[in-house]
Amino acid sequence: MAWLHTWVGLWFSWLLFAVFLTGSLAVFSEPITHWMTPEHHEAEALAAQQEGAPVDRARRLELAVDYMARHHAGEGMWEIWPVNRSHGNGLTAYWFDKNGMYADAELDPATGAELDEHHEEEGRATLGGQHFVDFHYTLHDAGLGLWIVAFATMAMLVALITGVVTHKRIFKDFFTFRAGKGQRSWLDAHNAVAVLTLPFQFMIAYTGIVISSSTLMPAPIAATYGAGPEAFRHYLMEMEGEEKLARSGVAQAMPALEPIVAHGERLMGQTARAIVIRNPEDSSMRIGVYGWNEDADTFRNISATTGMAEFSASGELLRLRPSGDVLGGAPALTRQVMGDLHMAKFGGLAIQWLYFICGLAGAAIMGTGAVLFMVKRRAKLGGEFGGATARVYRLIEGLNVAALAGLSIACIGYFWANRLLPVGLENRAAWELRCFFLVWALTLAHAWLCSPRRAWITQLAVLSALCLLLPLLSYATLGDHPYAQIARGDWESAGVELSAIAFGVLSGWAALRLWKRPASAQPQRKSRSNERAAA
């Protein structure tokens, strides 16, 4: 078990550190996106002020239905968002394209005309916080990347279980920390952080695999529903208790939607978010009214599903789902709750910070484990790889620096790229992403060109400088700073920059401690007799 824990933990620790670090940042993906789109701050503030203002929803629904009837008649589904909070006070229509994928159009709320995709205020193109979300679970490759992360997550579960078995005094060790003791200190830190957050680490790993189960284990779904997007959509519909509707071929005029929507809101106890019309303009038509999850709903329910009321074209209630519930029974509810547990869609800001801290603790487990491996072997070289053991250990030491300090530099470098790249640069979002990977690659090269000690000190110092100087960069490029952000109530932007300062202080302290510590002795191979004596 000790051997399995050591080597499984080592070979996957670098990837899992990246998954946990970017996953922790993904918890605050929306504030990060807000900080990375400063040109939209004024429009967002105005939209927030207008939220709740009277809207002629009946008129908007009529305009959207007219647009869909003219441009997408015969489609199996129309979806209308009469007030799109994510895009301000807008009107949006959705449908499935010929490939079975979602397509959408932004409509003018006053005329119903389709707006140009660039109608919003021009600003810097960026992936924002979505970069950390996508990298966290797919490494920006929804095919192979998802499988790699899933395999690493299974390895993490193995490492967690073997770690519990191996450390017989794990709970006693949790209350013991011996600072300045080299290997012992790293082991104490590794044990303490792991025990403190052990339930969270098991939960986040297991739910991460469960929510991707339809991709990782597609055979049962394919055997029952077939292959392709349409079959998968049928599976999801059945999981949610929806029946597959066949068009009758008998034309049916669209009813006035506003009375149906208002009735659905009264039944759900929620404001309508979306109106989904299945088989529109057919006698088999079904009209589903879906609600918004307000703050009170997310505090009350772990499941993030919204209320839903489905009606026939005549206005007869066919189905009703309260907020937080899932139609389709216990399996569907279990899957939904596991997904929402993983993505922290409940509990508000307190739960987000808890997930952020526990996610960083998970990264610390991976980081301290990788460092501990080298600390244990720095005084002597084992013989795991024969004559190549010294070279393999040097490779591991370089990967430790690049995977831990280097990735952190790449993350803050991504924020710097957002401020330094020209706003009008073509494919600007892609260039931000390229800067992230380029900086990371440079840290890897640096880690192998320098001695491990110098690489650690240099990269931690660079990380500290980039974090501490981020608010000054914002001030130099935008004239904005945390004091002004707090004064105008922009806590999302202030939170990003204040957090960067905190990470800068911590990494600077670590670099200073390492710089003051005397260099360790060079690794020496002990004779077999000495190794026996030491044992």
Side-chain angles (χ1 to χ4, degrees):
M1 287 292 177
W3 177 91
L4 188 60
H5 179 78
T6 297
W7 289 101
V8 168
L10 174 68
W11 295 124
F12 289 94
S13 61
W14 304 305
L15 175 58
L16 288 170
F17 178 87
V19 168
F20 269 95
L21 178 60
T22 55
S24 300
L25 294 171
V27 171
F28 292 112
S29 61
E30 291 183 5
I32 290 172
T33 300
H34 172 81
W35 183 87
M36 298 182 78
T37 53
E39 291 80 10
H40 296 159
H41 288 183
E42 186 175 345
E44 290 173 4
L46 181 60
Q49 293 175 0
Q50 293 177 344
E51 189 173 321
V55 170
D56 189 354
R57 188 173 62 190
R59 172 63 176 164
R60 293 188 178 200
L61 292 171
E62 291 175 1
L63 292 172
V65 167
D66 180 65
Y67 170 85
M68 296 299 287
R70 286 186 288 109
H71 295 278
H72 301 286
E75 296 288 353
M77 185 278 296
W78 295 350
E79 183 173 331
I80 302 169
W81 290 42
V83 180
N84 196 334
R85 294 184 184 179
S86 60
H87 295 85
N89 191 17
L91 172 63
T92 313
Y94 300 87
W95 64 95
F96 290 120
D97 63 18
K98 60 182 180 180
N99 297 319
M101 306 300 291
Y102 256 112
D104 66 272
E106 291 285 334
L107 306 180
D108 188 321
T111 65
E114 184 173 355
L115 297 172
D116 185 86
E117 60 180 2
H118 302 297
H119 73 279
E120 296 181 354
E121 179 187 358
E122 290 295 329
R124 60 194 69 205
T126 178
L127 290 177
Q130 189 62 35
H131 155 58
F132 298 110
V133 176
D134 293 342
F135 186 89
H136 160 67
Y137 77 102
T138 68
L139 308 179
H140 285 292
D141 185 340
L144 180 62
L146 177 62
W147 279 92
I148 292 174
V149 172
F151 196 82
T153 306
M154 288 298 298
M156 175 184 170
L157 287 173
V158 171
L160 287 172
I161 294 170
T162 55
V164 171
V165 173
T166 301
H167 295 96
K168 293 183 292 185
R169 301 192 309 163
I170 189 168
F171 289 102
K172 180 179 179 181
D173 287 344
F174 169 63
F175 296 101
T176 304
F177 180 75
R178 287 151 283 196
K181 300 295 183 181
Q183 175 183 331
R184 184 72 253 177
S185 298
W186 284 107
L187 182 59
D188 286 347
H190 184 72
N191 289 341
V193 176
V195 175
L196 178 64
T197 62
L198 192 61
F200 175 85
Q201 308 306 336
F202 270 112
M203 179 276 293
I204 209 71
Y206 183 74
T207 56
I209 291 175
V210 167
I211 60 179
S212 300
S213 59
S214 58
T215 300
L216 301 174
M217 296 186 292
I221 299 173
T224 306
Y225 302 95
E230 185 62 33
F232 185 69
R233 191 157 57 247
H234 183 200
Y235 155 72
L236 293 178
M237 289 172 59
E238 190 162 308
M239 282 287 289
E240 295 177 5
E242 295 184 10
E243 59 182 12
K244 187 174 182 179
L245 289 179
R247 297 185 75 92
S248 67
V250 179
Q252 170 76 47
M254 284 292 300
L257 293 181
E258 176 59 27
I260 295 175
V261 172
H263 186 200
E265 287 180 326
R266 290 192 295 271
L267 294 172
M268 295 184 300
Q270 288 187 318
T271 304
R273 164 179 58 96
I275 295 87
V276 178
I277 306 165
R278 293 193 289 157
N279 292 348
E281 300 182 313
D282 187 86
S283 61
S284 62
M285 177 170 33
R286 298 288 184 270
I287 302 170
V289 182
Y290 293 79
W292 279 106
N293 265 336
E294 306 293 349
D295 290 340
D297 298 309
T298 60
F299 275 101
R300 185 170 57 247
N301 304 315
I302 293 180
S303 171
T305 54
T306 63
M308 187 276 293
E310 186 176 68
F311 301 88
S312 67
S314 63
E316 177 188 358
L317 178 66
L318 302 176
R319 293 189 303 153
L320 178 64
R321 180 186 73 200
S323 64
D325 202 356
V326 176
L327 298 177
L333 180 59
T334 301
R335 184 177 185 274
Q336 178 69 39
V337 168
M338 284 193 175
D340 293 335
L341 272 173
H342 187 86
M343 292 180 277
K345 290 190 174 181
F346 65 97
L349 195 59
I351 291 295
Q352 288 181 325
W353 275 106
L354 177 64
Y355 271 58
F356 180 73
I357 293 170
C358 289
L360 291 180
I365 293 171
M366 306 308 159
T368 54
V371 172
L372 178 62
F373 178 90
M374 286 311 306
V375 171
K376 290 173 66 175
R377 286 158 175 79
R378 192 167 287 142
K380 64 174 183 177
L381 293 178
E384 293 94 342
F385 304 99
T389 298
R391 293 192 298 275
V392 172
Y393 284 174
R394 179 65 186 92
L395 172 67
I396 291 172
E397 194 127 38
L399 287 172
N400 275 352
V401 177
L404 306 183
L407 175 63
S408 303
I409 292 173
C411 288
I412 192 65
Y414 176 69
F415 288 84
W416 275 67
N418 176 262
R419 290 293 190 255
L420 294 177
L421 290 175
V423 174
L425 179 66
E426 187 176 357
N427 296 323
R428 189 181 184 283
W431 275 107
E432 285 186 358
L433 200 58
R434 289 169 189 151
C435 288
F436 170 82
F437 286 108
L438 176 61
V439 170
W440 199 6
L442 289 175
T443 63
L444 178 61
H446 174 263
W448 282 337
L449 290 173
C450 297
S451 67
R453 173 182 167 81
R454 178 177 295 180
W456 275 115
I457 294 173
T458 302
Q459 294 201 20
L460 286 172
V462 169
L463 174 61
S464 177
L466 291 176
C467 289
L468 292 173
L469 293 175
L470 185 67
L472 293 179
L473 176 66
S474 284
Y475 182 74
T477 55
L478 299 173
D480 201 11
H481 51 85
Y483 180 79
Q485 293 156 1
I486 294 172
R488 65 174 182 266
D490 186 2
W491 285 100
E492 290 182 314
S493 296
V496 170
E497 298 194 359
L498 292 175
S499 297
I501 292 173
F503 281 112
V505 170
L506 286 174
S507 53
W509 172 81
L512 187 61
R513 284 288 302 269
L514 186 57
W515 177 68
K516 288 183 176 181
R517 182 176 301 171
S520 60
Q522 290 299 316
Q524 297 177 354
R525 181 181 296 276
K526 291 186 177 182
S527 66
R528 190 177 300 272
S529 60
N530 287 340
E531 289 179 356
R532 290 198 193 100

